[in-house]
Amino acid sequence: MKAKVYVTIKQNVLDPQGSAVQGALHSMGFGEVGRVRIGKYLELELETSDRAEAETRLKTMCEKLLANTVVEDYRFELEG
Amino acid sequence: MKFAVLVFPGSNCDIDCYKAVEDTIGQEVDYVWHTATDLSAYDAILVPGGFSYGDYLRCGAIARFAPVMSEVVKAAEQGKFILGICNGFQILTEAGLLPGALLRNSGMQFRCHSALLEVVNNATPFTNQFAKGEIVDIPIAHGEGNYYCDEETLAKLEANGQVVFRYKAGANPNGSVNGIAGICSERGNVVGMMPHPERAIDQLLGSEDGKRMFTSILNAWRERHGAAVNG
């Protein structure tokens, strides 16, 4: 089974990388760009066919290591 | 008194910390590898700066699960002195030994220069040789030193006197909330800070204000163990 994990900085937390990219896009003439947020995308191969178990374990992985829940949100998708 | 300087793959201020202990207070000091499972021989643990595990995923995120870290948690519970500098501070927040998190500097720049700090709390084992409100010169070198915590945590830190150092008013280099440069645990025995006191132990380095953090630790340890201790 394949898991796609998305980690993003919480909405109320400053994202300097996103702001810098927004500024660059504006200076390139893409003035229509509003807020930009940059996050992380992770692909994990899971050797299990038990979807419920995979979800539980992924949640634990996210909360312990993949995201810092003080400043980041996470979500994941399971495929297969 | 015996010091441990933890070494993770990617630590690069470990030698500076070791030398600072040797040169400022002449106490015993060992490098302790991240795989170590016993810190019982040590009175103080220094978690040095650098880029542990390449800062992959997040600064300090992987180091926090190194075997030695469960010993650091134990040592913190026992009231031993623990100082995390720069990447060490990031590791201590990731480990939950200190609240909050370090974000990317608000200006996106890696900031590497001397910084003026206000000593907010001089009652910790690391700051007892400073005067409250004193301005000290200790360099910074970080890209992710923007201290962040939620409002409730911030109110608690301020009310409990857990803010140890603040960047001098108007000189916040990274966007930290309330200009915070260093904090301590509720008991005060765990301190984390972004500036590098180990790089400010001689005028040749531009400042010797960092020296007093090391003499503070020795002073606190001696007080704790009675005046009979020599050396």
Side-chain angles (χ1 to χ4, degrees), chain A residues 36-53:
Chain A
V36 177
R37 307 287 287 174
I38 293 184
K40 292 189 191 93
Y41 168 68
L42 299 92
E43 286 181 1
L44 281 68
E45 296 278 355
L46 305 175
E47 286 174 18
T48 175
S49 49
D50 184 334
R51 211 177 168 86
E53 193 205 341

Side-chain angles (χ1 to χ4, degrees), chain B residues 44-79:
Chain B
I45 296 152
L46 306 181
V47 193
F51 297 86
S52 57
Y53 298 87
D55 273 355
Y56 291 168
L57 192 64
R58 287 186 311 280
C59 306
I62 298 177
R64 170 250 186 285
F65 291 102
V68 77
M69 286 308 295
S70 43
E71 291 304 301
V72 174
V73 172
K74 248 187 246 172
E77 283 163 6
Q78 289 163 355

Side-chain angles (χ1 to χ4, degrees), chain B residues 29-41:
Chain B
V29 51
D30 288 337
Y31 292 115
V32 176
W33 195 233
H34 60 114
T35 50
T37 51
D38 184 8
L39 288 174
S40 58

Side-chain angles (χ1 to χ4, degrees), chain B:
Chain B
M1 177 173 194
K2 200 165 177 185
F3 283 75
V5 174
L6 303 189
V7 185
F8 297 94
S11 294
N12 65 16
C13 301
D14 43 341
I15 298 173
D16 309 59
C17 281
Y18 187 103
K19 295 283 176 198
V21 172
E22 261 190 341
D23 293 354
T24 59
I25 50 176
Q27 298 298 297
E28 272 189 80
V29 51
D30 288 337
Y31 292 115
V32 176
W33 195 233
H34 60 114
T35 50
T37 51
D38 184 8
L39 288 174
S40 58
Y42 301 100
D43 305 297
I45 296 152
L46 306 181
V47 193
F51 297 86
S52 57
Y53 298 87
D55 273 355
Y56 291 168
L57 192 64
R58 287 186 311 280
C59 306
I62 298 177
R64 170 250 186 285
F65 291 102
V68 77
M69 286 308 295
S70 43
E71 291 304 301
V72 174
V73 172
K74 248 187 246 172
E77 283 163 6
Q78 289 163 355
K80 288 185 179 180
F81 304 145
I82 297 165
L83 174 62
I85 300 165
C86 202
N87 192 230
F89 184 16
Q90 294 161 340
I91 295 169
L92 295 182
T93 59
E94 282 284 339
L97 285 170
L98 292 170
L102 282 312
L103 296 170
R104 232 168 236 268
N105 295 350
S106 56
M108 281 301 284
Q109 290 170 311
F110 187 97
R111 302 293 299 262
C112 182
H113 51 76
S114 73
L116 295 178
L117 314 177
E118 178 198 348
V119 180
V120 182
N121 181 347
N122 68 340
T124 78
F126 306 91
T127 52
N128 58 62
Q129 300 297 297
F130 295 111
K132 195 176 166 69
E134 186 179 350
I135 301 293
V136 295
D137 184 353
I138 294 182
I140 57 164
H142 59 248
E144 302 191 28
N146 178 350
Y147 182 76
Y148 173 86
C149 62
D150 61 35
E151 281 178 23
E152 194 186 328
T153 309
L154 182 61
K156 208 173 129 199
L157 288 176
E158 294 284 359
N160 290 347
Q162 286 175 255
V163 176
V164 179
F165 294 110
R166 226 188 284 280
Y167 298 107
K168 194 184 168 207
N172 185 339
N174 52 35
S176 294
V177 289
N178 285 13
I180 288 173
I183 56 169
C184 66
S185 58
E186 275 182 45
R187 280 171 79 182
N189 63 311
V190 182
V191 165
M193 61 194 291
M194 288 314 297
H196 288 270
E198 81 282 13
R199 293 188 190 172
I201 57 159
D202 194 294
Q203 280 302 348
L204 281 172
L205 300 169
S207 167
E208 53 183 30
D209 287 345
K211 238 181 188 174
R212 281 182 285 158
M213 288 204 72
F214 297 93
T215 53
S216 291
I217 302 174
L218 183 57
N219 183 54
W221 186 81
R222 282 181 170 154
E223 269 181 15
R224 191 179 280 189
H225 292 83
V229 179
N230 294 313

